[in-house]
Amino acid sequence: MSLFQARVFVHLRPSVLDPAGEATRSATKRLGIDGVTQLRIGKSIELEIEAKNKDDARSKIELMSDRLLANPVIEDWTLEFKNEQKALKN
């Protein structure tokens, strides 16, 4: 088994309104920051997972993302591995 570090980015689908993002974008003007034309808010989940190989880790994370981390009706997600695997000793 190896240990993999990954990050899952969850964000609203482009067709879904983002009231929190719009409120934050509006607040940038009150701070005196001009030029922010679009701002959408998502979340980043960092995790470590034990798996036989990278494909096994990817499969587990995809299942977790589809069923647990994101709402598939309104959200999309992307996955990136943070670095190379670390071998676990048993």
Side-chain angles (χ1 to χ4, degrees):
M1 292 291 246
S2 296
L3 184 65
F4 295 88
Q5 294 180 326
R7 180 177 294 141
V8 178
F9 295 101
V10 178
H11 52 88
L12 290 171
R13 292 182 173 192
S15 60
V16 176
L17 295 176
D18 182 4
E22 184 56 33
T24 304
R25 189 191 67 77
S26 295
T28 62
K29 289 182 182 178
R30 289 191 298 276
L31 288 175
I33 301 169
D34 293 326
V36 179
T37 59
Q38 184 175 1
L39 191 152
R40 294 181 64 82
I41 295 181
K43 58 187 171 185
S44 171
I45 298 112
E46 295 185 7
L47 62 103
E48 292 183 349
I49 187 167
E50 294 178 6
K52 290 181 276 188
N53 53 47
K54 193 171 185 176
D55 288 339
D56 184 37
R58 179 179 301 279
S59 176
K60 290 178 178 180
I61 296 170
E62 286 176 351
L63 177 63
M64 186 183 336
S65 298
D66 281 337
R67 298 203 182 159
L68 182 64
L69 301 178
N71 178 344
V73 175
I74 61 170
E75 295 175 320
D76 290 327
W77 58 266
T78 56
L79 164 65
E80 72 177 32
F81 285 93
K82 289 179 68 177
N83 56 11
E84 294 300 316
Q85 67 192 45
K86 298 177 185 175
L88 295 177
K89 296 179 181 179
N90 285 332

